[in-house]
Amino acid sequence: MYYIGVDLGGTKIAVGLVTEDGKIIYKESIPTHNERNSDLIIKDIADLCRHIIDINKCSISDIRSIGVGSPGTVDKNNGIIIYANNIHFINTPIADMIREHIDIQVYIENDANCAALAENVAGASMGYADSVTITLGTGVGGGVIINKKILSGAFHGGGELGHHVIVVDGVECTCGRRGCWEAYASATGLIRQTKEAAMNDPDSIIMSLVQGDINRIEAKTVFDAADQNDNTAKKVVDKYIHYVAEGLTNIVNIFEPEIIVIGGGVCAQGEKIVGPIRAKVKELIYGGEFYTQITSAILGNDAGIIGAAMLSRD
Amino acid sequence: MYYIGVDLGGTKIAVGLVTEDGKIIYKESIPTHNERNSDLIIKDIADLCRHIIDINKCSISDIRSIGVGSPGTVDKNNGIIIYANNIHFINTPIADMIREHIDIQVYIENDANCAALAENVAGASMGYADSVTITLGTGVGGGVIINKKILSGAFHGGGELGHHVIVVDGVECTCGRRGCWEAYASATGLIRQTKEAAMNDPDSIIMSLVQGDINRIEAKTVFDAADQNDNTAKKVVDKYIHYVAEGLTNIVNIFEPEIIVIGGGVCAQGEKIVGPIRAKVKELIYGGEFYTQITSAILGNDAGIIGAAMLSRD
């Protein structure tokens, strides 16, 4: 028996054929063309699912379920995407709409929750009952698993760990609030912090790495400059790690999971960034002692497909 | 069948006989004398339980369980108070120690969690599967109930909502960290904010209410001064409500419970303070729309006894 996982994003739609133990045996992706209406996008998803079934010489009856990981707010009980900004879906009954094209049970879930489920089923938090997965990317995504179940909130809007404020009246966040963890701990936040520092110290290596063009600064730039012993860059990295660790310490104090998994683009740095984050949490936590493990995600971009595929097992 | 609930505090020990539906039919309390060692304190608890059974003409077999709500960190699986600062208990196997005196099953839990359970069984959040209870007192206590179960964390230290930072590098908290919600939203935090404002404006009504003695300022003082239209006091109340609401908005974004119950001394003000808090959360929440109810606790100081009594039903 196989599972199909659909990672629905604003730029591309990635679909994979997944085994019971969460291994992808085939995957393919297509552009979303998110300017189109939902009918066309959903037909593309169904067509790609069917194509993947055919090309792998499977039949419909070999597929246990199709799972879709969607950005935004989803009503998983009714298979509806309530609101997803970057694909312009509003109250879209995606599960029923896919089933009009292909007769397989469809499950949906928020994409950050899918990533958390994937790491729990086949990744870094495998075997743990209580885990939290954080994705430090353009935003900060969070997925909380308590007793092997995704925490969704009573009205489909829970688990938004990126949108807890760590600096009252701080920097404005995309959600409209000021001071969200996402505004400080995302790649976007890091780039802003790097730009500010570079503007204040035009002689820093940060500036030379981007040939003086501040708009070319990426999340990676400041780590590269810090590697070259640039003091300004090292200060930015320290402060960034402090912000990440403050949010993680909050998560330990609130949930105290067995394990926290950190993924996303920023964590391509692996233990080089996770090590200092862990040390900082130890510094911040009450009494300096905590039992929650903090580790890097291991599934990378595949987490979206795997988690979506495993939804029928949640 | 009856249940006994023990609310173990640094100053007093309150014990009550409780019905299946969470009503106290008899209660009595004794001073803790917390300078004594745990043997003596625990013998007093057992003696008071026995006294309450006798005076109510019950026998041991009429009592389903004894529940103890303790400050600090507890290992509820093994009946051990790991660490409770204000009663000087360290790794105290309280359940076994009580059973040496009285042959009834003993359950223990953190006191903030007991308050949450009480409101859920017989109070403001009765009937809801997902609720959060916040106590704004000397500190900020939090109890989270998900799917009718208390969230305890994997290592007995979860649910510490008061110790999530809302102001990175902010005011020092009793836990050693800077900027915890507790440091801003507790009665202690409110008193500090009131004192600062009164010192900056010695002509304010706050000062006249305490006859110019800043050390007589209580949590209530600033509300009384605001009622008399004192501008300085009104600013302190507004800012305090802002701090409370920032933490509550975080809780909505993280857990999205069906209902949040607010109790503790500060909330003796009832809807007069809960109303503005609710309005502020609406202002802070993404899109201005949220479905979580925010309401006042109704059990007051009895919550500790009732929640402890109901532990065997959790």
Side-chain angles (χ1 to χ4, degrees), chain B residues 71-103:
Chain B
T73 311
V74 306
D75 170 357
K76 63 181 181 183
N77 298 328
N78 295 300
I80 295 168
I81 296 176
I82 296 174
Y83 180 71
N85 185 36
N86 56 356
I87 44 172
H88 317 300
F89 281 21
I90 297 172
N91 290 322
T92 305
I94 186 168
D96 285 349
M97 289 169 78
I98 291 176
R99 292 205 64 169
E100 280 170 20
H101 298 283
I102 187 166
D103 186 27

PDB file of all heavy atoms in Angstrom, chain B residues 71-103:
ATOM      1  N   PRO B  71       2.765  23.721  44.858  1.00  0.00           N
ATOM      2  CA  PRO B  71       3.533  24.653  44.046  1.00  0.00           C
ATOM      3  C   PRO B  71       4.758  23.921  43.481  1.00  0.00           C
ATOM      4  O   PRO B  71       5.061  22.809  43.919  1.00  0.00           O
ATOM      5  CB  PRO B  71       3.959  25.727  45.058  1.00  0.00           C
ATOM      6  CG  PRO B  71       3.917  25.057  46.384  1.00  0.00           C
ATOM      7  CD  PRO B  71       2.880  23.979  46.292  1.00  0.00           C
ATOM      8  N   GLY B  72       5.418  24.529  42.527  1.00  0.00           N
ATOM      9  CA  GLY B  72       6.673  23.976  42.008  1.00  0.00           C
ATOM     10  C   GLY B  72       6.495  22.870  40.992  1.00  0.00           C
ATOM     11  O   GLY B  72       5.456  22.736  40.360  1.00  0.00           O
ATOM     12  N   THR B  73       7.529  22.050  40.872  1.00  0.00           N
ATOM     13  CA  THR B  73       7.565  20.987  39.871  1.00  0.00           C
ATOM     14  C   THR B  73       7.238  19.651  40.512  1.00  0.00           C
ATOM     15  O   THR B  73       7.834  19.300  41.525  1.00  0.00           O
ATOM     16  CB  THR B  73       8.983  20.885  39.256  1.00  0.00           C
ATOM     17  OG1 THR B  73       9.401  22.186  38.877  1.00  0.00           O
ATOM     18  CG2 THR B  73       8.993  19.984  38.046  1.00  0.00           C
ATOM     19  N   VAL B  74       6.272  18.952  39.934  1.00  0.00           N
ATOM     20  CA  VAL B  74       5.902  17.659  40.515  1.00  0.00           C
ATOM     21  C   VAL B  74       6.020  16.550  39.464  1.00  0.00           C
ATOM     22  O   VAL B  74       5.813  16.778  38.275  1.00  0.00           O
ATOM     23  CB  VAL B  74       4.451  17.669  41.071  1.00  0.00           C
ATOM     24  CG1 VAL B  74       4.249  18.820  42.050  1.00  0.00           C
ATOM     25  CG2 VAL B  74       3.418  17.748  39.962  1.00  0.00           C
ATOM     26  N   ASP B  75       6.382  15.370  39.928  1.00  0.00           N
ATOM     27  CA  ASP B  75       6.387  14.171  39.091  1.00  0.00           C
ATOM     28  C   ASP B  75       5.115  13.416  39.444  1.00  0.00           C
ATOM     29  O   ASP B  75       5.073  12.670  40.421  1.00  0.00           O
ATOM     30  CB  ASP B  75       7.635  13.346  39.403  1.00  0.00           C
ATOM     31  CG  ASP B  75       7.606  11.969  38.748  1.00  0.00           C
ATOM     32  OD1 ASP B  75       6.589  11.628  38.103  1.00  0.00           O
ATOM     33  OD2 ASP B  75       8.599  11.233  38.882  1.00  0.00           O
ATOM     34  N   LYS B  76       4.065  13.663  38.638  1.00  0.00           N
ATOM     35  CA  LYS B  76       2.771  13.116  39.038  1.00  0.00           C
ATOM     36  C   LYS B  76       2.705  11.607  38.864  1.00  0.00           C
ATOM     37  O   LYS B  76       1.946  10.945  39.554  1.00  0.00           O
ATOM     38  CB  LYS B  76       1.622  13.815  38.306  1.00  0.00           C
ATOM     39  CG  LYS B  76       1.594  13.653  36.809  1.00  0.00           C
ATOM     40  CD  LYS B  76       0.400  14.436  36.262  1.00  0.00           C
ATOM     41  CE  LYS B  76       0.293  14.312  34.762  1.00  0.00           C
ATOM     42  NZ  LYS B  76      -0.819  15.114  34.232  1.00  0.00           N
ATOM     43  N   ASN B  77       3.522  11.070  37.950  1.00  0.00           N
ATOM     44  CA  ASN B  77       3.503   9.623  37.753  1.00  0.00           C
ATOM     45  C   ASN B  77       3.989   8.880  38.995  1.00  0.00           C
ATOM     46  O   ASN B  77       3.520   7.802  39.314  1.00  0.00           O
ATOM     47  CB  ASN B  77       4.376   9.238  36.561  1.00  0.00           C
ATOM     48  CG  ASN B  77       3.853   9.855  35.276  1.00  0.00           C
ATOM     49  OD1 ASN B  77       2.654  10.032  35.116  1.00  0.00           O
ATOM     50  ND2 ASN B  77       4.761  10.214  34.376  1.00  0.00           N
ATOM     51  N   ASN B  78       4.951   9.469  39.677  1.00  0.00           N
ATOM     52  CA  ASN B  78       5.525   8.805  40.847  1.00  0.00           C
ATOM     53  C   ASN B  78       5.141   9.459  42.170  1.00  0.00           C
ATOM     54  O   ASN B  78       5.640   9.062  43.222  1.00  0.00           O
ATOM     55  CB  ASN B  78       7.053   8.741  40.699  1.00  0.00           C
ATOM     56  CG  ASN B  78       7.445   7.869  39.514  1.00  0.00           C
ATOM     57  OD1 ASN B  78       7.109   6.691  39.474  1.00  0.00           O
ATOM     58  ND2 ASN B  78       8.104   8.459  38.534  1.00  0.00           N
ATOM     59  N   GLY B  79       4.278  10.479  42.108  1.00  0.00           N
ATOM     60  CA  GLY B  79       3.797  11.098  43.346  1.00  0.00           C
ATOM     61  C   GLY B  79       4.871  11.855  44.109  1.00  0.00           C
ATOM     62  O   GLY B  79       4.850  11.889  45.348  1.00  0.00           O
ATOM     63  N   ILE B  80       5.811  12.447  43.377  1.00  0.00           N
ATOM     64  CA  ILE B  80       6.941  13.122  44.031  1.00  0.00           C
ATOM     65  C   ILE B  80       6.909  14.626  43.748  1.00  0.00           C
ATOM     66  O   ILE B  80       6.707  15.049  42.597  1.00  0.00           O
ATOM     67  CB  ILE B  80       8.278  12.524  43.510  1.00  0.00           C
ATOM     68  CG1 ILE B  80       8.376  11.054  43.933  1.00  0.00           C
ATOM     69  CG2 ILE B  80       9.484  13.320  44.021  1.00  0.00           C
ATOM     70  CD1 ILE B  80       9.493  10.289  43.235  1.00  0.00           C
ATOM     71  N   ILE B  81       7.078  15.439  44.799  1.00  0.00           N
ATOM     72  CA  ILE B  81       7.299  16.870  44.582  1.00  0.00           C
ATOM     73  C   ILE B  81       8.796  17.039  44.331  1.00  0.00           C
ATOM     74  O   ILE B  81       9.624  16.815  45.228  1.00  0.00           O
ATOM     75  CB  ILE B  81       6.838  17.704  45.794  1.00  0.00           C
ATOM     76  CG1 ILE B  81       5.317  17.559  45.973  1.00  0.00           C
ATOM     77  CG2 ILE B  81       7.218  19.179  45.601  1.00  0.00           C
ATOM     78  CD1 ILE B  81       4.755  18.271  47.191  1.00  0.00           C
ATOM     79  N   ILE B  82       9.147  17.356  43.100  1.00  0.00           N
ATOM     80  CA  ILE B  82      10.566  17.425  42.729  1.00  0.00           C
ATOM     81  C   ILE B  82      11.216  18.645  43.383  1.00  0.00           C
ATOM     82  O   ILE B  82      12.286  18.560  43.979  1.00  0.00           O
ATOM     83  CB  ILE B  82      10.716  17.484  41.194  1.00  0.00           C
ATOM     84  CG1 ILE B  82      10.175  16.181  40.585  1.00  0.00           C
ATOM     85  CG2 ILE B  82      12.177  17.691  40.802  1.00  0.00           C
ATOM     86  CD1 ILE B  82      10.134  16.165  39.080  1.00  0.00           C
ATOM     87  N   TYR B  83      10.540  19.769  43.258  1.00  0.00           N
ATOM     88  CA  TYR B  83      11.114  20.991  43.824  1.00  0.00           C
ATOM     89  C   TYR B  83      10.010  22.009  44.051  1.00  0.00           C
ATOM     90  O   TYR B  83       9.291  22.361  43.134  1.00  0.00           O
ATOM     91  CB  TYR B  83      12.163  21.568  42.876  1.00  0.00           C
ATOM     92  CG  TYR B  83      12.787  22.833  43.396  1.00  0.00           C
ATOM     93  CD1 TYR B  83      13.670  22.806  44.474  1.00  0.00           C
ATOM     94  CD2 TYR B  83      12.484  24.068  42.827  1.00  0.00           C
ATOM     95  CE1 TYR B  83      14.229  23.966  44.972  1.00  0.00           C
ATOM     96  CE2 TYR B  83      13.041  25.237  43.323  1.00  0.00           C
ATOM     97  CZ  TYR B  83      13.913  25.174  44.391  1.00  0.00           C
ATOM     98  OH  TYR B  83      14.450  26.328  44.892  1.00  0.00           O
ATOM     99  N   ALA B  84       9.835  22.429  45.289  1.00  0.00           N
ATOM    100  CA  ALA B  84       8.875  23.495  45.591  1.00  0.00           C
ATOM    101  C   ALA B  84       9.553  24.453  46.548  1.00  0.00           C
ATOM    102  O   ALA B  84       9.734  24.162  47.734  1.00  0.00           O
ATOM    103  CB  ALA B  84       7.603  22.919  46.185  1.00  0.00           C
ATOM    104  N   ASN B  85       9.937  25.561  45.997  1.00  0.00           N
ATOM    105  CA  ASN B  85      10.709  26.583  46.688  1.00  0.00           C
ATOM    106  C   ASN B  85      10.076  27.024  48.008  1.00  0.00           C
ATOM    107  O   ASN B  85      10.711  26.965  49.069  1.00  0.00           O
ATOM    108  CB  ASN B  85      10.815  27.763  45.716  1.00  0.00           C
ATOM    109  CG  ASN B  85      11.697  28.848  46.262  1.00  0.00           C
ATOM    110  OD1 ASN B  85      12.692  28.539  46.932  1.00  0.00           O
ATOM    111  ND2 ASN B  85      11.343  30.085  45.999  1.00  0.00           N
ATOM    112  N   ASN B  86       8.777  27.385  47.980  1.00  0.00           N
ATOM    113  CA  ASN B  86       8.193  28.013  49.166  1.00  0.00           C
ATOM    114  C   ASN B  86       7.709  27.039  50.242  1.00  0.00           C
ATOM    115  O   ASN B  86       7.163  27.440  51.256  1.00  0.00           O
ATOM    116  CB  ASN B  86       7.082  29.003  48.779  1.00  0.00           C
ATOM    117  CG  ASN B  86       6.012  28.349  47.940  1.00  0.00           C
ATOM    118  OD1 ASN B  86       6.129  27.170  47.587  1.00  0.00           O
ATOM    119  ND2 ASN B  86       4.961  29.076  47.645  1.00  0.00           N
ATOM    120  N   ILE B  87       7.900  25.733  50.005  1.00  0.00           N
ATOM    121  CA  ILE B  87       7.701  24.788  51.111  1.00  0.00           C
ATOM    122  C   ILE B  87       8.963  23.935  51.329  1.00  0.00           C
ATOM    123  O   ILE B  87       8.940  22.972  52.090  1.00  0.00           O
ATOM    124  CB  ILE B  87       6.474  23.867  50.917  1.00  0.00           C
ATOM    125  CG1 ILE B  87       6.402  23.337  49.477  1.00  0.00           C
ATOM    126  CG2 ILE B  87       5.175  24.565  51.287  1.00  0.00           C
ATOM    127  CD1 ILE B  87       5.338  22.275  49.276  1.00  0.00           C
ATOM    128  N   HIS B  88      10.043  24.308  50.668  1.00  0.00           N
ATOM    129  CA  HIS B  88      11.346  23.650  50.868  1.00  0.00           C
ATOM    130  C   HIS B  88      11.283  22.133  50.671  1.00  0.00           C
ATOM    131  O   HIS B  88      11.938  21.387  51.401  1.00  0.00           O
ATOM    132  CB  HIS B  88      11.904  23.970  52.267  1.00  0.00           C
ATOM    133  CG  HIS B  88      11.752  25.401  52.650  1.00  0.00           C
ATOM    134  ND1 HIS B  88      12.326  26.427  51.915  1.00  0.00           N
ATOM    135  CD2 HIS B  88      11.065  26.011  53.647  1.00  0.00           C
ATOM    136  CE1 HIS B  88      12.014  27.584  52.481  1.00  0.00           C
ATOM    137  NE2 HIS B  88      11.233  27.363  53.513  1.00  0.00           N
ATOM    138  N   PHE B  89      10.464  21.669  49.756  1.00  0.00           N
ATOM    139  CA  PHE B  89      10.408  20.233  49.457  1.00  0.00           C
ATOM    140  C   PHE B  89      11.334  19.962  48.266  1.00  0.00           C
ATOM    141  O   PHE B  89      11.249  20.645  47.252  1.00  0.00           O
ATOM    142  CB  PHE B  89       8.982  19.806  49.060  1.00  0.00           C
ATOM    143  CG  PHE B  89       8.029  19.623  50.216  1.00  0.00           C
ATOM    144  CD1 PHE B  89       8.246  20.216  51.446  1.00  0.00           C
ATOM    145  CD2 PHE B  89       6.883  18.834  50.058  1.00  0.00           C
ATOM    146  CE1 PHE B  89       7.340  20.057  52.495  1.00  0.00           C
ATOM    147  CE2 PHE B  89       5.979  18.664  51.096  1.00  0.00           C
ATOM    148  CZ  PHE B  89       6.209  19.272  52.317  1.00  0.00           C
ATOM    149  N   ILE B  90      12.199  18.992  48.401  1.00  0.00           N
ATOM    150  CA  ILE B  90      13.036  18.580  47.270  1.00  0.00           C
ATOM    151  C   ILE B  90      12.952  17.061  47.153  1.00  0.00           C
ATOM    152  O   ILE B  90      13.285  16.338  48.111  1.00  0.00           O
ATOM    153  CB  ILE B  90      14.517  19.010  47.452  1.00  0.00           C
ATOM    154  CG1 ILE B  90      14.614  20.538  47.503  1.00  0.00           C
ATOM    155  CG2 ILE B  90      15.390  18.473  46.324  1.00  0.00           C
ATOM    156  CD1 ILE B  90      15.991  21.048  47.860  1.00  0.00           C
ATOM    157  N   ASN B  91      12.499  16.584  45.986  1.00  0.00           N
ATOM    158  CA  ASN B  91      12.336  15.140  45.759  1.00  0.00           C
ATOM    159  C   ASN B  91      11.587  14.457  46.903  1.00  0.00           C
ATOM    160  O   ASN B  91      12.016  13.412  47.406  1.00  0.00           O
ATOM    161  CB  ASN B  91      13.702  14.482  45.541  1.00  0.00           C
ATOM    162  CG  ASN B  91      14.289  14.896  44.210  1.00  0.00           C
ATOM    163  OD1 ASN B  91      13.570  15.031  43.223  1.00  0.00           O
ATOM    164  ND2 ASN B  91      15.593  15.115  44.174  1.00  0.00           N
ATOM    165  N   THR B  92      10.490  15.048  47.301  1.00  0.00           N
ATOM    166  CA  THR B  92       9.698  14.526  48.419  1.00  0.00           C
ATOM    167  C   THR B  92       8.595  13.596  47.903  1.00  0.00           C
ATOM    168  O   THR B  92       7.712  14.040  47.163  1.00  0.00           O
ATOM    169  CB  THR B  92       9.052  15.704  49.187  1.00  0.00           C
ATOM    170  OG1 THR B  92      10.082  16.619  49.571  1.00  0.00           O
ATOM    171  CG2 THR B  92       8.310  15.217  50.425  1.00  0.00           C
ATOM    172  N   PRO B  93       8.653  12.317  48.270  1.00  0.00           N
ATOM    173  CA  PRO B  93       7.647  11.350  47.773  1.00  0.00           C
ATOM    174  C   PRO B  93       6.339  11.486  48.546  1.00  0.00           C
ATOM    175  O   PRO B  93       5.950  10.604  49.322  1.00  0.00           O
ATOM    176  CB  PRO B  93       8.316   9.994  48.002  1.00  0.00           C
ATOM    177  CG  PRO B  93       9.234  10.211  49.157  1.00  0.00           C
ATOM    178  CD  PRO B  93       9.668  11.658  49.120  1.00  0.00           C
ATOM    179  N   ILE B  94       5.676  12.603  48.328  1.00  0.00           N
ATOM    180  CA  ILE B  94       4.526  12.981  49.157  1.00  0.00           C
ATOM    181  C   ILE B  94       3.391  11.962  49.112  1.00  0.00           C
ATOM    182  O   ILE B  94       2.738  11.695  50.131  1.00  0.00           O
ATOM    183  CB  ILE B  94       4.026  14.407  48.803  1.00  0.00           C
ATOM    184  CG1 ILE B  94       2.916  14.850  49.764  1.00  0.00           C
ATOM    185  CG2 ILE B  94       3.590  14.508  47.352  1.00  0.00           C
ATOM    186  CD1 ILE B  94       2.574  16.326  49.684  1.00  0.00           C
ATOM    187  N   ALA B  95       3.163  11.347  47.940  1.00  0.00           N
ATOM    188  CA  ALA B  95       2.051  10.381  47.834  1.00  0.00           C
ATOM    189  C   ALA B  95       2.290   9.206  48.773  1.00  0.00           C
ATOM    190  O   ALA B  95       1.430   8.857  49.593  1.00  0.00           O
ATOM    191  CB  ALA B  95       1.890   9.917  46.386  1.00  0.00           C
ATOM    192  N   ASP B  96       3.477   8.608  48.700  1.00  0.00           N
ATOM    193  CA  ASP B  96       3.792   7.484  49.587  1.00  0.00           C
ATOM    194  C   ASP B  96       3.775   7.917  51.051  1.00  0.00           C
ATOM    195  O   ASP B  96       3.332   7.171  51.928  1.00  0.00           O
ATOM    196  CB  ASP B  96       5.179   6.919  49.249  1.00  0.00           C
ATOM    197  CG  ASP B  96       5.151   6.097  47.967  1.00  0.00           C
ATOM    198  OD1 ASP B  96       4.032   5.797  47.483  1.00  0.00           O
ATOM    199  OD2 ASP B  96       6.228   5.783  47.430  1.00  0.00           O
ATOM    200  N   MET B  97       4.275   9.123  51.325  1.00  0.00           N
ATOM    201  CA  MET B  97       4.352   9.590  52.710  1.00  0.00           C
ATOM    202  C   MET B  97       2.958   9.798  53.315  1.00  0.00           C
ATOM    203  O   MET B  97       2.734   9.502  54.494  1.00  0.00           O
ATOM    204  CB  MET B  97       5.183  10.873  52.789  1.00  0.00           C
ATOM    205  CG  MET B  97       6.682  10.614  52.551  1.00  0.00           C
ATOM    206  SD  MET B  97       7.656  12.141  52.333  1.00  0.00           S
ATOM    207  CE  MET B  97       7.811  12.714  54.039  1.00  0.00           C
ATOM    208  N   ILE B  98       2.021  10.299  52.505  1.00  0.00           N
ATOM    209  CA  ILE B  98       0.644  10.440  53.003  1.00  0.00           C
ATOM    210  C   ILE B  98       0.043   9.055  53.248  1.00  0.00           C
ATOM    211  O   ILE B  98      -0.615   8.808  54.263  1.00  0.00           O
ATOM    212  CB  ILE B  98      -0.226  11.260  52.019  1.00  0.00           C
ATOM    213  CG1 ILE B  98       0.225  12.730  52.007  1.00  0.00           C
ATOM    214  CG2 ILE B  98      -1.714  11.175  52.401  1.00  0.00           C
ATOM    215  CD1 ILE B  98      -0.502  13.612  50.994  1.00  0.00           C
ATOM    216  N   ARG B  99       0.319   8.136  52.340  1.00  0.00           N
ATOM    217  CA  ARG B  99      -0.253   6.774  52.458  1.00  0.00           C
ATOM    218  C   ARG B  99       0.279   6.019  53.665  1.00  0.00           C
ATOM    219  O   ARG B  99      -0.336   5.043  54.109  1.00  0.00           O
ATOM    220  CB  ARG B  99       0.002   5.977  51.179  1.00  0.00           C
ATOM    221  CG  ARG B  99      -0.796   6.527  50.003  1.00  0.00           C
ATOM    222  CD  ARG B  99      -1.045   5.484  48.955  1.00  0.00           C
ATOM    223  NE  ARG B  99      -1.873   4.391  49.461  1.00  0.00           N
ATOM    224  CZ  ARG B  99      -2.402   3.461  48.707  1.00  0.00           C
ATOM    225  NH1 ARG B  99      -2.199   3.480  47.406  1.00  0.00           N
ATOM    226  NH2 ARG B  99      -3.139   2.499  49.231  1.00  0.00           N
ATOM    227  N   GLU B 100       1.429   6.433  54.180  1.00  0.00           N
ATOM    228  CA  GLU B 100       1.906   5.805  55.418  1.00  0.00           C
ATOM    229  C   GLU B 100       0.970   6.117  56.584  1.00  0.00           C
ATOM    230  O   GLU B 100       0.896   5.372  57.552  1.00  0.00           O
ATOM    231  CB  GLU B 100       3.321   6.288  55.750  1.00  0.00           C
ATOM    232  CG  GLU B 100       4.390   5.564  54.934  1.00  0.00           C
ATOM    233  CD  GLU B 100       5.770   6.196  55.088  1.00  0.00           C
ATOM    234  OE1 GLU B 100       5.971   6.930  56.088  1.00  0.00           O
ATOM    235  OE2 GLU B 100       6.610   5.967  54.204  1.00  0.00           O
ATOM    236  N   HIS B 101       0.263   7.269  56.445  1.00  0.00           N
ATOM    237  CA  HIS B 101      -0.642   7.670  57.526  1.00  0.00           C
ATOM    238  C   HIS B 101      -2.092   7.286  57.272  1.00  0.00           C
ATOM    239  O   HIS B 101      -2.868   7.132  58.207  1.00  0.00           O
ATOM    240  CB  HIS B 101      -0.590   9.197  57.727  1.00  0.00           C
ATOM    241  CG  HIS B 101       0.764   9.706  58.120  1.00  0.00           C
ATOM    242  ND1 HIS B 101       1.268   9.580  59.383  1.00  0.00           N
ATOM    243  CD2 HIS B 101       1.732  10.327  57.393  1.00  0.00           C
ATOM    244  CE1 HIS B 101       2.474  10.112  59.444  1.00  0.00           C
ATOM    245  NE2 HIS B 101       2.790  10.574  58.241  1.00  0.00           N
ATOM    246  N   ILE B 102      -2.459   7.191  56.002  1.00  0.00           N
ATOM    247  CA  ILE B 102      -3.878   7.014  55.693  1.00  0.00           C
ATOM    248  C   ILE B 102      -3.996   6.206  54.397  1.00  0.00           C
ATOM    249  O   ILE B 102      -3.343   6.517  53.407  1.00  0.00           O
ATOM    250  CB  ILE B 102      -4.580   8.407  55.606  1.00  0.00           C
ATOM    251  CG1 ILE B 102      -6.088   8.289  55.448  1.00  0.00           C
ATOM    252  CG2 ILE B 102      -3.995   9.285  54.521  1.00  0.00           C
ATOM    253  CD1 ILE B 102      -6.804   9.639  55.718  1.00  0.00           C
ATOM    254  N   ASP B 103      -4.795   5.170  54.410  1.00  0.00           N
ATOM    255  CA  ASP B 103      -4.798   4.209  53.306  1.00  0.00           C
ATOM    256  C   ASP B 103      -5.793   4.598  52.209  1.00  0.00           C
ATOM    257  O   ASP B 103      -6.827   3.958  52.022  1.00  0.00           O
ATOM    258  CB  ASP B 103      -5.111   2.804  53.860  1.00  0.00           C
ATOM    259  CG  ASP B 103      -4.971   1.754  52.764  1.00  0.00           C
ATOM    260  OD1 ASP B 103      -4.186   1.997  51.819  1.00  0.00           O
ATOM    261  OD2 ASP B 103      -5.658   0.717  52.844  1.00  0.00           O
TER     262      ASP B 103
END
